[in-house]
Amino acid sequence: MQIDEKLISRLEHLARLELSGEERAHIQGDLNKILDMVEKLNELDTTNVQPLVYINEEGNVWREDEVRNQLPREKALKNAPDEDGTFFKVPKVIDLDRNDA
Amino acid sequence: MSVYDQYETVIGLEIHVQLATQSKAFCGDDASFGGEPNTHISTISLGHPGTLPRLNKKQVAYAVRLGLALESEINLHSAFDRKNYFYADLPKGYQITQDRSPICIGGQLKIMVDDREKAVRIHHVHMEEDAGKSMHDSDDPYSYIDLNRAGVPLLEIVSEPDLRSAEEVDAYMSAMRQLVQYLGISDGNMQEGSMRCDCNVSVRPKGSDQLGERCEIKNLNSMRYARRAIAFEVKRQIDLIESGGRVSQQTLNFDPVTGETSPLRDKEDAHDYRYFPEPDLPPIILDESYVQKIREDQPALPWELYARLQEEFDLSDYDATLLTAELSTAQYFLQLNAASPHPKAAANLIINKLLPYCQEENIELTEFPVGIAGLGKFIQLIEDGQVSNTIAYQTLLPELIEQPGTEPLELAKKMQLIQNKDEDFLTQLVEEVIAANPEKVKIYRGGKKGLLGFFMGEVMKRSKGQAEPKATNALLREKLEA
């Protein structure tokens, strides 16, 4: 697999980034190097090796169902780029194209 | 035969159920509905850098509870994944869900359609979290974001494409709503969004075993919308095929105002969610004893209670269906029946009087002015023959509602509603009636025995409903035949 112009554009869109021509060329080089490294790793025979997902063996780190550690609204809104004291305000997005759950 | 009759509708459902936990899925924010905007939030639900999610143990227990009721295989090794997309009401930029290994696999839910039972197969049930809410119309050019709902625990129940009509979808949704209420894992309230569904709809020529190209209608939050959306979509797809076109796989939005579905996106620009394992949440590893514990604590299921009402209390299908439709009604019935063990009378009282009254007044059964104890005594008065059924319902009950604190027996006495079978009392009444109607008596004695009803009515009138019918009937016959 090679990173081409088309794939860079797609990744740019997915990450909501806008890259300059220079940055695109740079990133294309980086990503291709990463892929080469993965290709290298693929040379190893891993037929009977389970994929490692969690470094830690531990499972079931759960909590009790209790209400705690909520933030006062004032604090919660403090770092928002825009707010009206009640809501977070964002540029209008009537994009129904989303997953609602 | 209409061209529409030559097609079969095939529907699969994804139901999202909000769980009735105190706190959210991965942090301690209040998970209840409503609340002032942006007050049920924390650094975790806001997706601040450096924060870590921690799973609510109740979400796991509730998922297993549902899985057991649906006869699913409980997946003893399940895990969470990230589903990546950008939207203003999704602070982290990804939704935590289960993509590779959902907690419940397979299963079924039985529904009744046109008096026939049908098993709808479940594909799987997985755990995930809800997103926040956006409001678009209050202040152009802004959208307002309320994150109270962000992170509320959900179960997504994915069915196989086993449903064949809007009626079956309705029955399936109702059965699922009833089930989650019985299990105590959700209020199943569609108005408040505790239950929402996405419908995957396709059509195919009758007799075909190939699935047609499907369209997904998103976010139907009422049964009425679901019915209308399906009806519209089925007709659209058939018209398209009949005019030589092809249905293309799309995600659709339903507009309740126009009653039409319209495309949100085509398959070509379908979302690329880039699922990957959620590294912040360790896997969920269950064992048989955990599952067994939940199995043992499982509350009564709707169909078990339905069967019990029919078998143990000898109630009709009609009565049992109505009484088990809502868990609260079924529990109320059991309590009333415990207070006064006359199941048929309790069923009649609830179905004919209490439910209509409560619906009219918009209150819960448990808020009915007369309590269980009082109603038990009310039933007992009828069963003991102290007050006639008619008088009890028409005269005593309305007064009891007005004076909920009073003892039914005392009130009946005060209102002179107690039936009297004292022989002297009845004899006098019967003789009066006979003396006052010589013509009718002659006709009766001439062979028109049907007039007995007339004499009964007259005695009742004179006694103001207090004459005990059985004894009165016997006495009337005796005097008239003499």
Side-chain angles (χ1 to χ4, degrees):
Chain A
M1 184 181 176
Q2 278 296 308
I3 304 284
D4 55 16
E5 271 294 312
K6 209 177 144 201
L7 186 52
I8 292 279
S9 298
R10 174 147 183 76
L11 293 173
E12 201 180 1
H13 171 71
L14 282 172
R16 302 296 191 270
L17 291 172
E18 281 175 32
L19 303 175
S20 66
E22 203 179 313
E23 286 168 326
R24 290 174 71 93
H26 189 75
I27 280 205
Q28 188 170 356
D30 280 355
L31 290 176
N32 273 322
K33 275 186 214 156
I34 292 170
L35 284 186
D36 288 345
M37 188 190 74
V38 174
E39 280 306 313
K40 182 82 190 157
L41 291 176
N42 272 342
E43 288 170 17
L44 269 177
D45 180 8
T46 54
T47 318
N48 291 315
V49 182
Q50 288 294 315
L52 177 74
V53 178
Y54 304 100
I55 307 291
N56 202 326
E57 294 279 298
E58 197 181 11
N60 303 350
V61 181
W62 298 349
R63 31 169 270 280
E64 294 298 323
D65 180 27
E66 290 163 357
V67 176
R68 50 183 295 182
N69 294 335
Q70 295 192 116
L71 275 180
R73 179 159 70 193
E74 199 188 318
K75 263 193 166 172
L77 293 174
K78 203 170 152 194
N79 291 329
D82 200 358
E83 39 92 9
D84 71 348
T86 306
F87 292 101
F88 294 90
K89 279 167 82 171
V90 299
K92 191 158 189 161
V93 267
I94 299 208
D95 173 15
L96 290 163
D97 177 10
R98 55 177 294 241
N99 186 293
D100 197 33
Chain B
M1 188 161 101
S2 147
V3 61
Y4 299 108
D5 297 330
Q6 294 166 22
Y7 286 87
E8 179 178 51
T9 305
V10 177
I11 304 167
L13 239 53
E14 294 163 20
I15 301 180
H16 293 97
V17 177
Q18 255 181 21
L19 297 179
T21 52
Q22 300 296 311
S23 63
K24 290 186 181 175
F26 305 114
C27 62
D29 305 1
D30 189 337
S32 59
F33 176 78
E36 282 294 301
N38 293 311
T39 53
H40 299 172
I41 52 179
S42 64
T43 50
I44 298 175
S45 52
L46 292 175
H48 280 225
T51 58
L52 285 172
R54 193 162 178 190
L55 177 60
N56 186 336
K57 64 197 282 189
K58 245 193 188 142
Q59 183 166 16
V60 181
Y62 284 4
V64 173
R65 213 184 265 183
L66 179 64
L68 290 174
L70 293 173
E71 300 167 58
S72 305
E73 177 200 332
I74 305 301
N75 190 356
L76 299 180
H77 288 82
S78 81
F80 285 104
D81 300 283
R82 290 186 182 181
K83 176 178 181 177
N84 300 280
Y85 66 94
F86 285 109
Y87 201 74
D89 56 26
L90 186 78
K92 300 189 297 300
Y94 57 85
Q95 178 194 29
I96 301 178
T97 181
Q98 294 193 295
D99 179 53
R100 293 159 301 149
S101 49
I103 188 152
C104 309
I105 300 163
Q108 61 168 359
L109 180 64
K110 287 178 183 152
I111 59 171
M112 290 295 289
V113 185
D114 298 331
D115 292 328
R116 275 184 314 111
E117 189 177 78
K118 170 171 179 161
V120 179
R121 290 170 303 152
I122 305 294
H123 183 271
H124 75 266
V125 178
H126 69 256
M127 301 187 277
E128 57 182 32
E129 59 174 337
D130 213 338
K133 271 184 186 163
S134 309
M135 278 137 280
H136 303 296
D137 303 318
S138 49
D139 183 13
D140 240 13
Y142 296 103
S143 287
Y144 281 47
I145 310 295
D146 172 10
L147 295 175
N148 281 357
R149 200 179 66 178
V152 167
L154 299 176
L155 293 181
E156 177 169 335
I157 307 153
V158 181
S159 85
E160 297 284 356
D162 284 354
L163 300 160
R164 294 289 173 268
S165 65
E167 288 68 38
E168 291 191 2
V169 170
D170 198 343
Y172 174 73
M173 284 289 285
S174 303
M176 195 62 80
R177 177 170 172 272
Q178 186 192 33
L179 180 61
V180 298
Q181 285 178 342
Y182 269 69
L183 292 172
I185 64 174
S186 171
D187 63 20
N189 185 331
M190 288 192 85
Q191 286 83 44
E192 292 180 359
S194 311
M195 242 180 110
R196 313 187 285 270
C197 81
D198 303 337
C199 284
N200 289 291
V201 181
S202 65
V203 298
R204 64 182 174 193
K206 272 188 180 156
S208 165
D209 56 4
Q210 302 274 314
L211 289 172
E213 201 68 60
R214 71 187 159 87
C215 288
E216 180 180 11
I217 315 171
K218 297 294 273 184
N219 280 323
L220 296 165
N221 60 1
S222 89
M223 263 334 296
R224 210 162 53 89
Y225 289 174
R227 272 175 176 275
R228 287 171 59 203
I230 291 165
F232 179 88
E233 182 56 21
V234 166
K235 182 168 182 303
R236 185 189 75 85
Q237 292 187 11
I238 295 174
D239 288 346
L240 190 61
I241 296 168
E242 284 297 314
S243 62
R246 284 184 58 176
V247 177
S248 63
Q249 195 174 327
Q250 284 177 322
T251 304
L252 305 170
N253 180 46
F254 174 69
D255 183 344
V257 179
T258 61
E260 296 180 2
T261 59
S262 57
L264 286 175
R265 62 182 106 100
D266 289 325
K267 192 182 179 182
E268 290 72 49
D269 42 56
H271 268 151
D272 179 353
Y273 290 123
R274 292 149 293 141
Y275 287 99
F276 65 85
E278 165 59 275
D280 290 343
L281 287 160
I284 300 141
I285 301 160
L286 308 178
D287 55 22
E288 272 309 327
S289 72
Y290 176 89
V291 177
Q292 185 55 29
K293 178 83 180 62
I294 292 188
R295 191 179 281 120
E296 282 163 12
D297 294 342
Q298 195 81 325
L301 299 173
W303 48 89
E304 292 171 354
L305 212 47
Y306 169 86
R308 186 177 159 207
L309 292 199
Q310 286 209 305
E311 284 154 25
E312 188 179 328
F313 302 118
D314 205 24
L315 294 179
S316 65
D317 163 65
Y318 176 82
D319 286 351
T321 303
L322 282 178
L323 291 176
T324 54
E326 305 262 347
L327 176 62
S328 56
T329 311
Q331 286 170 334
Y332 193 89
F333 166 80
L334 291 175
Q335 285 169 20
L336 184 53
N337 189 62
S340 169
H342 302 284
K344 183 63 195 163
N348 285 344
L349 180 61
I350 292 172
I351 292 168
N352 299 327
K353 280 289 166 188
L354 306 193
L355 286 176
Y357 180 93
C358 291
Q359 197 170 10
E360 180 86 32
E361 301 286 320
N362 201 15
I363 56 172
E364 298 293 319
L365 261 181
T366 45
E367 295 169 318
F368 188 77
V370 188
I372 298 261
L375 291 173
K377 287 175 184 164
F378 170 81
I379 288 175
Q380 201 60 48
L381 281 183
I382 305 173
E383 293 298 318
D384 292 346
Q386 299 214 67
V387 181
S388 80
N389 197 65
T390 315
I391 293 286
Y393 272 89
Q394 289 179 359
T395 314
L396 183 58
L397 190 59
E399 195 55 33
L400 258 182
I401 293 173
E402 294 298 315
Q403 306 180 43
T406 48
E407 282 288 308
L409 178 61
E410 296 307 315
L411 191 61
K413 278 183 183 160
K414 211 166 91 189
M415 295 174 75
Q416 300 186 314
L417 303 176
I418 299 293
Q419 295 192 117
N420 198 332
K421 50 180 169 186
D422 177 77
E423 208 174 327
D424 293 339
F425 170 73
L426 293 182
T427 305
Q428 195 192 334
L429 286 172
V430 166
E431 281 174 353
E432 274 173 32
V433 168
I434 287 175
N437 297 283
E439 280 304 308
K440 293 260 167 49
V441 174
K442 203 180 279 174
I443 300 173
Y444 179 92
R445 288 185 174 147
K448 220 166 166 208
K449 306 289 181 202
L451 273 174
L452 190 67
F454 163 79
F455 291 110
M456 276 295 289
E458 287 299 301
V459 175
M460 281 298 166
K461 239 188 263 172
R462 282 172 188 261
S463 78
K464 298 195 177 71
Q466 290 182 52
E468 198 278 323
K470 242 181 174 170
T472 308
N473 190 299
L475 199 62
L476 259 176
R477 276 173 194 276
E478 188 192 313
K479 298 282 180 198
L480 285 168
E481 310 282 327

